[in-house]
Amino acid sequence: MDISLRRLEDSDLSVFWQQLTDPELQRMAAVTRKYHYDRGHFDQHWARVRSDPSVILRTVLADGVVAGHVAVFGPPQEREVTYVIGRAHWGRGIATTVLAELIELEPVRPLHADAAADNAGSIRVLQKCGFVVTGKSRCFARARDEEIDLVHLTLS
């Protein structure tokens, strides 16, 4: 399988919307925002993200098909990674491959990430890329409508 990153194109947004509104993906991610449920908020969010020069944002391609996106965002001392891989592409090593490529694009360390404590797949992806668990907390997970345990990870 050919896995690669490229700059975001306008046509990617419709795929991202489909992925982010997938109830199973939302449940797995747990911590969701308004833009996961409302197209107007989604469009505003992506306009803001795309206009921020400090954000490193890439579309994930798997065999030429848009499989998701990865990004680094935040101020220098608090840079954070995020990634979404559509459910149709889960379990194929795509997230690990593209996260490793993304962190090569960002020289700032440390990098941070959060994952629901029961999201073993995401935690495993982050650890394969060098992140280590540095803390835990609780937060409200809108997708689950309950408080959950959250794991904080750091790449030094």
Side-chain angles (χ1 to χ4, degrees), residues 40-121:
H41 287 286
F42 173 88
D43 291 339
Q44 290 172 357
H45 167 77
W46 282 99
R48 220 175 19 258
V49 168
R50 293 176 79 183
S51 69
D52 185 340
S54 73
V55 174
I56 299 173
L57 171 64
R58 297 293 185 269
T59 295
V60 176
L61 298 176
D63 290 333
V65 174
V66 175
H69 64 275
V70 293
V72 179
F73 64 95
Q77 64 278 16
E78 299 173 19
R79 299 289 277 168
E80 189 170 337
V81 299
T82 187
Y83 55 92
V84 172
I85 303 299
R87 190 163 35 112
H89 304 281
W90 288 358
R92 297 167 52 194
I94 296 169
T96 302
T97 299
V98 297
L99 182 58
E101 287 184 35
L102 177 71
I103 61 180
E104 286 184 21
L105 298 174
E106 174 56 78
V108 172
R109 298 292 183 269
L111 291 175
H112 303 280
D114 292 324
D118 62 358
N119 188 342

Side-chain angles (χ1 to χ4, degrees), residues 15-16 19 21 24-25 32 35 39 44 46 65-66 68 73 80 92 94-95 111 117-118 125 136 145 149 151:
V15 177
F16 297 171
Q19 292 169 342
T21 57
E24 190 170 335
L25 187 145
T32 55
Y35 65 84
R39 185 61 195 240
Q44 290 172 357
W46 282 99
V65 174
V66 175
F73 64 95
E80 189 170 337
R92 297 167 52 194
I94 296 169
L111 291 175
D118 62 358
V125 164
K136 296 180 181 181
D145 196 29
D149 292 322
V151 176

Side-chain angles (χ1 to χ4, degrees), residues 110-132:
L111 291 175
H112 303 280
D114 292 324
D118 62 358
N119 188 342
S122 191
I123 293 169
R124 189 169 44 253
V125 164
L126 289 157
Q127 289 176 326
K128 285 181 181 179
C129 291
F131 285 78
V132 296

